Amino acid sequence: MSHDTGRTRSARAEGRFSLGERLSPRTSFLLRRLGRLAASVCVVVLASFFLIHLVPGDPVRAALGPSASPELVAATQASLGLDKPILQQFVDYLGGLLTGDLGTSIQSHRPVAQTIAERFPATLLLAVAAFAVAIAGALPIGLGMAISSRGGRRRGLDAALSSLLGVLIAIPGFLLAVGFIALFSVQLGLLPAAGWGTIRSGILPVLALALGPMAYLARIVQVEMITVLGTTYMTTARAKRLPSRLVYFRHALPNIVTATLTVGGLILSGLTAATVLVETVFAIPGLGTTMVAAVSTKDYPMVQGVVLVYALIVLGVNLVVDLILITIDPRSSITEG
């Protein structure tokens, strides 16, 4: 009997081993990441549902106003399912998620999914445009600072640019937004102070959102480029009298892609979340302003839906960045996690 049990265990172990052999590192990594993604989404769903219910006050009473009769409040609670025990509400919420139903807004009485579908494009466009501006500015600035400061040259210029980048990193995006409105809209009258839908109305919010991440990424590019320029193979490339463009762009630049891409993914995730305050300052009809209004009025379904969308964006961006990294460098240490 013991011999049979031993052979069974051995066969199972061999089966697992052969399955692991059949899976490529990229497939195995993808399965692990998808498992973590599912676990993270579950945590977000739990947290967004139960934490919002800890906020004191009656959302239905807040929506209907203090003059609403108790009968009307009770009827509205019953129609929205808010009169049920909290666990039953959670079960109903999960059932709705599985069918794509994010619930009905307490304030507007519209489906949450419909409101998100209408507001999401503005938030996505703002985040992507800010990310593009950040990348377009960070790469030449970081590369230029690294090349100009190599070997201790132009220390004064490097110190001035580093200080400027540090200031941009330290100032929150919404403060930049307020400053831009005061200067370019109120004082100079060059650009609109609010609104969305035209190129002119998008310049200030995009810049307010992009300058801080651009400065941070430029510093990362500078540090990585200085490290690469000091390596042995770069010294050899310069000793061969290769043209500067080949030395910097063909030999040096590809070696900073991994670090830059990793930080860029984090920046894109952060930009999506940072749109909340910038949208509020510029009155942009996106998810940010929707979130602020929903929190202030205790609109449970709307808050839960928007939080879930933001979480999926952040988790999805991180997953895509990891997949790109493992494609570029299959030996990357992320495959071990």
Side-chain angles (χ1 to χ4, degrees):
M1 180 72 178
S2 60
H3 294 291
D4 294 339
T5 304
R7 285 194 296 270
T8 301
R9 291 176 178 173
S10 177
R12 290 176 178 173
E14 291 177 357
R16 288 196 298 269
F17 181 73
S18 61
L19 178 60
E21 280 187 331
R22 287 195 298 269
L23 292 177
S24 66
R26 187 181 303 176
T27 303
S28 178
F29 167 79
L30 178 60
L31 292 177
R32 291 197 305 271
R33 280 294 187 267
L34 288 177
R36 294 181 184 181
L37 177 65
S40 299
V41 171
C42 291
V43 171
V44 170
V45 169
L46 285 168
S48 64
F49 182 87
F50 287 103
L51 290 180
I52 191 63
H53 282 77
L54 296 178
V55 178
D58 185 354
V60 175
R61 171 62 70 180
L64 297 178
S67 60
S69 65
E71 293 77 12
L72 178 59
V73 173
T76 305
Q77 288 176 337
S79 65
L80 296 173
L82 298 178
D83 60 335
K84 300 178 182 179
I86 186 67
L87 291 180
Q88 183 60 48
Q89 292 184 43
F90 181 65
V91 171
D92 294 342
Y93 176 62
L94 288 181
L97 286 181
L98 295 177
T99 60
D101 182 11
L102 299 179
T104 302
S105 170
I106 297 175
Q107 287 291 322
S108 63
H109 302 287
R110 301 178 62 204
V112 171
Q114 181 180 350
T115 301
I116 291 177
E118 293 174 355
R119 298 298 184 94
F120 179 68
T123 297
L124 180 63
L125 180 58
L126 176 60
V128 171
F131 181 70
V133 170
I135 294 293
L139 288 178
I141 292 174
L143 292 175
M145 291 178 63
I147 294 172
S148 66
S149 63
R150 183 171 59 87
R153 300 176 300 173
R154 302 176 183 176
R155 292 183 178 178
L157 177 62
D158 183 61
L161 289 176
S162 297
S163 299
L164 177 60
L165 294 181
V167 170
L168 291 177
I169 293 172
I171 299 178
F174 73 92
L175 284 183
L176 284 176
V178 174
F180 285 164
I181 290 175
L183 177 61
F184 295 104
S185 299
V186 178
Q187 296 295 329
L188 301 178
L190 297 177
L191 295 169
W196 187 252
T198 64
I199 295 178
R200 293 184 71 252
S201 64
I203 292 176
L204 293 184
V206 168
L207 287 179
L209 195 59
L211 288 182
M214 181 193 70
Y216 179 74
L217 185 58
R219 294 298 301 270
I220 297 296
V221 172
Q222 179 194 15
V223 172
E224 291 294 322
M225 193 66 173
I226 291 175
T227 302
V228 170
L229 291 177
T231 57
T232 303
Y233 67 87
M234 289 302 301
T235 303
T236 303
R238 286 192 295 269
K240 292 180 179 180
R241 304 288 185 177
L242 295 176
S244 297
R245 60 182 179 84
L246 291 180
V247 172
Y248 295 128
F249 294 101
R250 179 174 296 181
H251 295 281
L253 189 59
N255 289 281
I256 68 170
V257 169
T258 300
T260 304
L261 185 60
T262 302
V263 176
L266 296 176
I267 286 176
L268 180 56
S269 300
L271 282 174
T272 304
T275 56
V276 173
L277 294 177
V278 173
E279 286 180 7
T280 303
V281 173
F282 288 98
I284 297 174
L287 290 183
T289 51
T290 303
M291 167 70 87
V292 172
V295 170
S296 63
T297 58
K298 305 180 184 66
D299 194 341
Y300 297 164
M302 187 62 71
V303 173
Q304 292 162 188
V306 175
V307 168
L308 182 60
V309 170
Y310 274 124
L312 289 176
I313 293 173
V314 172
L315 294 172
V317 168
N318 291 334
L319 177 62
V320 171
V321 169
D322 285 346
L323 291 177
I324 295 175
L325 288 176
I326 193 178
T327 301
I328 295 175
D329 184 8
R331 299 170 297 177
S332 175
S333 60
I334 64 173
T335 60
E336 300 174 1

